[in-house]
Each structure stands twice: as C-alpha cells, then as structure tokens.
Amino acid sequence: MGASDLASVDALVVARGSFRLEVPSWRVAPGEVVGVVGPNGAGKTTLLEAVAGLRPVAAGQLRVFGLDPWSRPVEVRSALGFMSDDMALFELRVDRLLRMLSGYYPSWDAALVGQLLDRFEIDTRKKVSDLSRGQGTRLRLVTAMAFRPRLLVLDEPAAALDLSGRRRLLESVLEVVKDPERSVLVSSHALHDVERIADRLLVLGNGRVVQEGETAALVGQGRTLEEAVEAWGVA
C-alpha cells in the first residue's frame, strides 16, 4: 500500500456463498471518485461490503487507511461512510435518528447535515418509515456523509431516485471530493452517471477484473461508458 492510499488490495479473494470475487491488485488514492461497474452478480456489492468491513476476506490482503476493516471496524468506520439503498435505519423520527448518530462521530458536521436536509427536502419531523423510498435513499446518504468521511462508499446510491434526485445526489458526492484528501467509491448501474463523475473505473465481470484505469483512457473518444461495457462483454 502506498503511503497515501486510502484503500489497497493485493491478491484479494472474497467469498459469498459459492461466489468468489478475485481482485489481484487495486488502489484508491485520495481525492478521486472511483466507479465500480459491471452486471448483476459481477461482485460489486461484495467488494464494497469488504472495503466497508461488512464482509471478511477469504485470502489476500485488503487495507483501508492502512488497517484491516474486518478486524478493526471501529477505527475504519470512524472515517469511512457507507451507504446502500437497502441499508437499515433505526425506526425513529429523522431528527432523533440524526441526533443519536451524531454521538458516535466526533467529526459530525451539523451544518453540513442541515444543508443536505434542505437540499434533499427531508422533513426531519417524520419517522423513517413514513418517508418515501426516494427520501429514505437521500437520508441514508446524509448519514453516510454527515461526519465528512475520508472515504465515502456508495452501493447503488441512486436506485430509487428520479433524474432530478440523481443529479442532486451527484452534486453532493462531488462536493465531498473537493477536499483532495477524501475519495468516493461508487457502484451503480446508471453508467451515464458513473461516467460523469468517476475519475477511475474498476470493471468487474463474474467475480474478475475486466478493466481498471482512468475513465477517459478506458472509455476512449467517440463512445460512451455503456458502449464500452458492451464491447468488454460485461453489459
């Protein structure tokens, strides 16, 4: 792992039932947005959950901030924000949920939370169960970003959002990486969105790395990421 890498992988194997994800070598440097793309079953969620310390490694090495995220979850998650569209939330009023979560993070930024709640039009007086699916998605993003993590990991963050909602979400994500010390790792089937924001790509297919590198270089001129993915045989 390089001295500045936020995450690194060497000869990684992660098992999920009979499925095996294998990533020989991969790095996430500070200040970049990395898109993880591939079809259903490619291993995107498996990888992101391993990075977030939610799934153990079967072989090889995975380090986040220089630590093993599975054995050192408290240290890693204090600086890593994770969000998936089906992530469980406590059944509380939104304002009480956020107040409770703020106690776990010394770096919790109440001003940022207020800005995001306004941008995403979330009524903090509502209970979590009374939110629409799209509102629940946006609230999950708020909880992942509220403590200004060094690494923000997003697994299909825009699945429940319309075009306008996706744009607002992407704007918020891009604001996170204005800081050159912070990075975003995002998995999405919305390839147009990924192409717009990702500096680098990790393309997976059947648990293997198909392509990895800078987005512009991999996609090339005169085609879209969607067309490139089809050409790589992982659409």
Side-chain angles (χ1 to χ4, degrees), residues 146-202:
F147 56 101
R148 293 193 179 276
R150 292 173 63 199
L151 180 59
L152 181 62
V153 179
L154 306 174
D155 186 12
E156 293 291 346
L161 301 180
D162 58 18
L163 180 59
S164 173
R166 293 210 318 267
R167 285 177 176 164
R168 280 183 289 174
L169 181 144
L170 293 175
E171 289 168 2
S172 302
V173 167
L174 290 175
E175 287 176 7
V176 169
V177 289
K178 283 181 180 177
D179 184 337
E181 297 303 311
R182 304 177 196 277
S183 294
V184 177
L185 182 56
V186 56
S187 152
S188 178
H189 283 96
L191 297 182
H192 177 67
D193 293 342
V194 174
E195 185 175 5
R196 283 178 57 203
I197 67 170
D199 305 300
R200 299 183 64 83
L201 295 173
L202 179 70

